[in-house]
């Protein structure tokens, strides 16, 4: 493979995934073959694709600037989708090589942070339907997950009792999904508050120090949420997500689109989201997630 890559470089075959890791393509401080290597880590099918035939960085930059005006127009969804698909390779090169902040990327690519485009971008990267796959698997595994929560003992079992009480009530499908996700996080030995933060509508508060957070705003009765938002780097990135489970799916889409790392405190939760609910790279599992998968229906 090393000889094959060498021949590709000598013949100047356009391959962004190869070129970005050459010594010439790295900054002066990273001039080491093993330093800061850019490669797919989460089963990305199109991690760093080449530009479409006939397109260059300059031509795609023109399309990007046109998109800045397109997003200001109403009923322009098809035009935006077409141009976003056309500029996908240019955007991925920027995301992977430059590692821009979410705010900088939102300024340059505002359409990327629309709900529809988050799903489209995830599909371009993985070829998987984001929300449909996530919800289908979550609903499929819900009965078994509830059974595992009921059977759990010890300290974690005690922490899971409030979730079982909620599940025993007549909940909507959205609230049931949220309760199952929160319970699953506890079952995995992690803290739901690391991912989901609750507040009342008349008293919104959140910790801006957190890099990644789903904010659930409840009404005065403290029950069903009236608003669900996604925060990245202390800034609201996406509002009106509908429900917490959908926000989790969209957050996975944003993580792939922005090439973000999973939070260390939630590594098992996001591994379950990726490898069990979205079925991406489901063969390589940590021991804890593998133990969970063996107990779920095939």
């Amino acid at each position: 493979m090393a000889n094959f890559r060498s021949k590709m470089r000598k013949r100047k075959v356009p391959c962004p995934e190869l070129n970005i890791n050459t010594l010439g393509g790295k900054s002066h401080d990273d001039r080491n073959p093993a330093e800061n290597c850019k490669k797919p880590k989460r089963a990305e099918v199109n991690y760093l694709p080449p530009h479409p035939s006939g397109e260059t960085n300059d031509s795609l930059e023109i399309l990007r600037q046109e998109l800045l005006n397109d997003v200001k127009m109403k009923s322009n969804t098809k035009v935006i989708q077409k141009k976003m698909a056309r500029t996908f390779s240019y955007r991925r090169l920027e995301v992977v090589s430059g590692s821009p902040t979410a705010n900088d990327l939102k300024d340059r690519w505002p359409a990327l942070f629309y709900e529809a485009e988050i799903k489209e971008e995830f599909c371009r990267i993985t070829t998987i339907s984001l929300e449909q796959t996530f919800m289908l698997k979550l609903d499929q595994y819900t009965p078994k997950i509830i059974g595992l929560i009921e059977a759990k003992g010890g300290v974690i079992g005690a922490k899971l009792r409030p979730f079982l009480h909620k599940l025993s009530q007549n909940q909507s499908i959205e609230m049931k999904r949220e309760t199952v996700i929160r319970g699953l996080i506890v079952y995995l030995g992690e803290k739901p508050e690391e991912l989901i933060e609750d507040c009342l509508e008349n008293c919104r508060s959140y910790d801006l120090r957190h890099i990644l957070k789903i904010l659930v705003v409840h009404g005065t009765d403290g029950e069903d949420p009236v608003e669900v938002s996604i925060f990245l780097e202390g800034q609201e990135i996406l509002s009106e997500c509908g429900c917490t489970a959908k926000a989790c799916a969209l957050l996975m889409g944003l993580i792939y689109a922005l090439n973000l790392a999973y939070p260390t405190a939630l590594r098992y939760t996001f591994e379950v989201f990726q490898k069990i609910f979205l079925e991406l790279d489901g063969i390589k599992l940590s021991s804890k997630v593998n133990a969970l998968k063996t107990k779920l229906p095939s």
Side-chain angles (χ1 to χ4, degrees), residues 168-285:
S168 66
Q169 299 173 349
N170 188 18
Q171 292 182 309
S172 64
I173 182 64
E174 291 82 8
M175 286 302 298
K176 185 175 182 180
R177 286 168 174 168
E178 176 181 338
T179 306
V180 168
I181 288 175
R182 290 178 188 250
L184 180 61
I185 296 173
V186 175
Y187 181 86
L188 293 168
E190 297 174 339
K191 299 178 180 179
E193 56 268 23
E194 291 285 347
L195 176 63
I196 305 167
E197 185 158 332
D198 298 284
C199 71
L200 295 177
E201 190 175 14
N202 57 359
C203 185
R204 297 189 181 203
S205 64
Y206 45 87
D207 192 342
L208 294 179
R209 294 174 299 173
H210 288 288
I211 300 298
L212 179 152
K213 184 75 70 172
I214 294 173
L215 181 68
V216 181
V217 180
H218 298 270
T220 54
D221 59 359
E223 295 301 323
D224 289 4
V226 295
E227 184 181 340
V228 180
S229 305
I230 296 175
F231 281 72
L232 291 177
E233 299 168 2
Q235 300 294 325
E236 186 177 51
I237 295 297
L238 187 65
S239 60
E240 300 180 0
C241 296
C243 66
T244 306
K246 183 178 179 181
C248 290
L250 292 173
L251 181 55
M252 285 298 297
L254 283 168
I255 287 173
Y256 271 77
L258 277 60
N259 199 36
L260 301 175
Y262 294 148
T264 304
L266 293 165
R267 61 186 181 276
Y268 296 122
T269 298
F270 280 97
E271 185 180 352
V272 169
F273 287 173
Q274 175 198 322
K275 298 184 178 183
I276 295 182
F277 290 168
L278 292 171
E279 297 185 319
L280 292 169
D281 197 23
I283 298 176
K284 301 177 182 178
L285 300 172

Side-chain angles (χ1 to χ4, degrees), residues 32-69:
N32 186 301
E35 186 76 24
N36 195 23
C37 186
K38 309 286 188 180
K39 60 181 180 179
K41 297 179 180 179
R42 293 189 290 262
E44 297 97 331
V45 176
N46 293 310
Y47 179 69
L48 198 57
H51 291 332
S53 178
E55 297 286 6
T56 64
N57 284 351
D58 292 337
S59 65
L60 293 173
E61 172 63 17
I62 292 173
L63 283 177
R64 185 195 70 80
Q65 293 176 2
E66 290 177 1
L67 275 164
L68 295 177
N69 294 321

